[in-house]
């Protein structure tokens, strides 16, 4: 921090933070776009890939910002209502995605606020049977084991959102990541503003995410506290 140059603009690609995230999760940093929290990334994705009147699918209950931004961009929101146990019938979701002219589906997994998740096999089934842009917000996936982060190169329409606000405890820094294949990543990077993640945030995120043992211990402590 002592050597931080406050008179310089931050790295527009946030290479240090993205590199630390890539190292932590074992993925290629070329497929990562940093954002000013997942909120900015959600807004960016809807604004970049959809036009007024396009139809998206969200789930209910789920993170309310998906619906908020869909309204902001004047999108038509086809809401899938979960059952009384907050579960999702993936076959019904696939059917609706393929018959309702939906351009994008977005949901959290595991769900915020219910904590009920969709298993990896069902996510793969969805990806295998639709061509819809599929945005999966894995904000709480550090506490579960059903991530599909490893599939970003296999499915061109897949975008994974990750955040520093939950398991890493860095909510006030406002840093999130969108992870996708090369073609989709190029589109996302072209759509973002140049200096969307400030320099101090980049330095701190890089420092924290580089401490693998510390993060692993913190995640385990949270898991144990829930038992």
């Amino acid at each position: 921090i002592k050597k931080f140059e406050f008179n310089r603009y931050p790295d527009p690609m946030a290479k240090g933070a993205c590199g630390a995230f890539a190292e932590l999760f074992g993925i290629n940093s070329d497929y990562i776009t940093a954002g000013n929290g997942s909120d900015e990334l959600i807004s960016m994705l809807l604004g970049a890939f959809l036009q007024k009147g396009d139809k998206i699918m969200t789930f209910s209950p789920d993170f309310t910002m998906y619906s908020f931004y869909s309204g902001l961009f004047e999108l038509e929101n086809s809401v899938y209502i979960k059952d009384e146990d907050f579960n999702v019938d993936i076959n019904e979701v696939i059917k609706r995605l393929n018959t309702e002219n939906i351009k994008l589906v977005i949901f959290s997994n595991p769900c915020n606020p219910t904590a009920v998740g969709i298993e990896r096999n069902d996510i793969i089934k969805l990806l295998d049977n639709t061509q819809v842009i599929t945005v999966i917000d894995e904000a709480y996936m550090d506490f579960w084991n059903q991530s599909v982060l490893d599939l970003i190169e296999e499915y061109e329409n897949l975008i994974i959102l990750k955040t520093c606000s939950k398991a890493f405890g860095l909510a006030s820094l406002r840093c999130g990541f969108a992870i996708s294949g090369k073609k989709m990543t190029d589109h996302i990077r072209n759509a973002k503003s140049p200096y969307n993640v400030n320099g101090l945030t980049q330095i701190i995120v890089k420092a924290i995410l580089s401490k693998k043992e510390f993060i692993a211990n913190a995640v385990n402590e949270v898991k144990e506290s829930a038992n």
Side-chain angles (χ1 to χ4, degrees), residues 11-207:
D11 175 11
M13 304 309 296
K15 290 187 290 290
C18 288
F21 180 91
E23 178 69 21
L24 180 63
F25 285 94
I27 57 177
N28 190 330
S29 62
D30 291 340
Y31 302 142
I32 305 171
T33 307
N36 189 343
S38 293
D39 276 52
E40 186 205 20
L41 293 169
I42 295 164
S43 174
M44 185 193 307
L45 294 175
L46 298 189
F49 293 113
L50 303 174
Q51 299 180 16
K52 177 181 176 180
D54 282 346
K55 185 181 288 188
I56 73 166
M57 176 182 282
T58 62
F59 296 169
S60 181
D62 206 343
F63 186 44
T64 57
M65 297 308 292
Y66 309 143
S67 296
F68 171 82
Y69 285 118
S70 71
L72 196 65
F73 289 105
E74 299 183 79
L75 306 172
E76 184 179 344
N77 188 2
S78 178
V79 181
Y80 175 91
I81 306 298
K82 299 177 182 179
D83 68 21
E84 61 184 9
D85 296 317
F86 306 122
N87 290 310
V88 170
D89 182 341
I90 205 67
N91 293 317
E92 179 63 22
V93 171
I94 291 169
K95 179 181 177 180
R96 288 180 55 178
L97 291 176
N98 287 331
T99 60
E100 295 185 15
N101 194 31
I102 292 169
K103 302 291 182 65
L104 182 148
V105 58
I106 182 169
F107 56 91
S108 59
N109 195 42
C111 175
N112 170 15
T114 70
V116 178
I118 302 173
E119 293 189 355
R120 176 183 167 92
N121 286 340
D122 278 341
I123 298 293
I124 293 174
K125 186 174 184 180
L126 185 154
L127 293 168
D128 283 338
N129 289 280
T130 71
Q131 295 299 314
V132 174
I133 297 174
T134 302
V135 183
I136 305 176
D137 187 349
E138 293 192 351
Y140 289 91
M141 190 57 76
D142 299 281
F143 307 113
W144 204 30
N145 64 352
Q146 299 293 307
S147 176
V148 289
L149 187 61
D150 60 308
L151 301 180
I152 53 171
E153 292 184 76
E154 186 173 342
Y155 296 97
E156 193 174 86
N157 58 320
L158 175 63
I159 303 171
I160 304 293
L161 298 180
K162 293 281 193 178
T163 180
C164 294
S165 299
K166 307 303 188 287
F168 308 148
L170 302 176
S172 68
L173 289 180
R174 308 311 303 138
C175 186
F177 301 95
I179 308 96
S180 55
K182 185 181 186 311
K183 183 177 180 180
M184 193 70 80
T185 297
D186 287 344
H187 290 317
I188 297 170
R189 289 179 175 179
N190 287 335
K192 81 174 191 66
S193 60
Y195 307 113
N196 58 328
V197 182
N198 75 74
L200 281 175
T201 289
Q202 292 186 33
I203 288 175
I204 298 171
V205 167
K206 177 183 177 181

